[in-house]
Amino acid sequence: MRIRLSIAVLIQLLLLLSIIAYKQDIIATGERILLVTRMFDPRDLLKGEYVRLSYDISALKTDKFGVKDTFKARDTIYVTLSKNADGTFSPTTFGKTEPKGATFIRGTVISAYTNYTGTTTVKEDSGLTREFEYYWQPYQKEGRYVFCVNKEGRLMFHFPVSNEKWRTCEGGLDKVYGTVEKTIRHEDMQINAEFGIEKFFVEEGKGRAIEHGILGQGVVAVIYLSKDGRGVLKTLIINGKELG
């Protein structure tokens, strides 16, 4: 029994050492980049104090980058990065295939979902044409509708005039009568991903300083990338000073 336990402990130790060696090799041979951090999560009381970070690459939208690929949880994602004037890097595009001849980081999709947005052009009974933000199922172009609009001019909801007997624009909303001239529906996929650089352990008592730095946009992560895009978080730079 003791022999089996010793073997199990030894295997875990060797696995841990191999992971450490692998990361050290990437740090020694990989490409160094800087990423601005965006969020802070509190310490892990069981493992010691740490900060959990996110970046611009942690949440990506297909529309913003002109990406046509679709994603689902557990997919591998490759984010192409470009260097900014201040030395930090930002995403320029992303996809499901490894880019060639560019700096990129490889990650795993945690979740992916589609947002529906767009615009609806309405011709009021008065003859005035108005354009509203649109984010639900397309209107039927036939027939007249009641459009319930708030004081800022935002369309809140709608219903056919034939339903006006039992529906109304509640909550002080203005009532606009008209027909739909044009509807533009747009689908935009939100991708949330992780890259193995989200957790950084720190000395007891230093987590609060890092939190304050992040809130003040003063924390930058030092990342090293392997040739296949795997990232290793080495340290953080807080207000221009690198942690030892």
Side-chain angles (χ1 to χ4, degrees), residues 1-16:
M1 183 68 178
R2 288 183 178 180
I3 295 177
R4 291 182 179 179
L5 180 60
S6 297
I7 293 175
V9 172
L10 180 60
I11 291 175
Q12 291 181 9
L13 180 60
L14 290 174
L15 178 60
L16 177 62

Side-chain angles (χ1 to χ4, degrees), residues 200-202 206 210 234-238 241-244:
F200 181 74
F201 288 91
V202 297
K206 287 190 176 181
I210 296 175
K234 181 184 179 183
T235 189
L236 300 177
I237 300 173
I238 305 177
K241 185 178 180 180
E242 186 171 314
L243 293 179

